[in-house]
Amino acid sequence: MSHPSICLFSAADLKAETGTPPPERILSGSPASKTWNYRESADGKFFSGIWQSTPGKWRIEYDEEEFCHIIEGVSIIIDERTSIATTVKSGDAFTLPAGFKGTWEVVETTRKHYAIYLP
């Protein structure tokens, strides 16, 4: 029986996946992202790593539960249901629940640690 090992996050030792939000969701700018996915569970329901995006604004819809810790940058997340805008910056940690809808605006290139669970 094998035992899982501790997974240290270091962007220097893993190739980043690049991407953008779907074009129909982009509201402004030309956001481009890099994702370093360090850990994925055997069942594919949990994964974690580092995500980074350049400035822009797009609509978000979460099917997953996500924990985020902002490493650098500034973003504004607006809850579609309440219209409440939350500014997140370096050092902030928060969760986004499954079912959350709104917008994510990267004001200054933002980098975060993430941990995602798919129900």
Side-chain angles (χ1 to χ4, degrees):
M1 174 181 193
S2 76
H3 294 281
S5 60
I6 293 173
C7 178
L8 295 175
F9 294 4
S10 172
D13 65 2
L14 183 68
K15 184 175 165 103
E17 297 174 24
T18 59
T20 62
E24 66 275 10
R25 290 190 179 199
I26 296 175
L27 301 172
S28 66
S30 299
S33 66
K34 291 182 181 178
T35 303
W36 295 267
N37 196 45
Y38 282 89
R39 171 77 72 189
E40 183 173 341
S41 62
D43 65 4
K45 290 187 173 191
F46 175 81
F47 47 103
S48 59
I50 297 171
W51 172 89
Q52 175 180 295
S53 179
T54 59
K57 183 177 183 178
W58 62 95
R59 287 189 306 280
I60 55 174
E61 295 181 15
Y62 275 68
D63 295 326
E64 66 274 16
E65 301 281 342
E66 182 175 7
F67 169 81
C68 304
H69 173 252
I70 304 296
I71 303 167
E72 61 187 48
V74 177
S75 286
I76 301 168
I77 302 166
I78 298 176
D79 185 326
E80 174 183 275
R81 187 177 47 82
T82 64
S83 298
I84 294 173
T86 302
T87 299
V88 294
K89 60 190 180 327
S90 179
D92 290 340
F94 57 96
T95 60
L96 290 166
F100 182 89
K101 292 181 181 180
T103 60
W104 187 299
E105 179 179 8
V106 173
V107 178
E108 296 174 8
T109 296
T110 297
R111 182 182 282 232
K112 70 178 180 178
H113 290 118
Y114 65 85
I116 293 173
Y117 175 73
L118 297 167

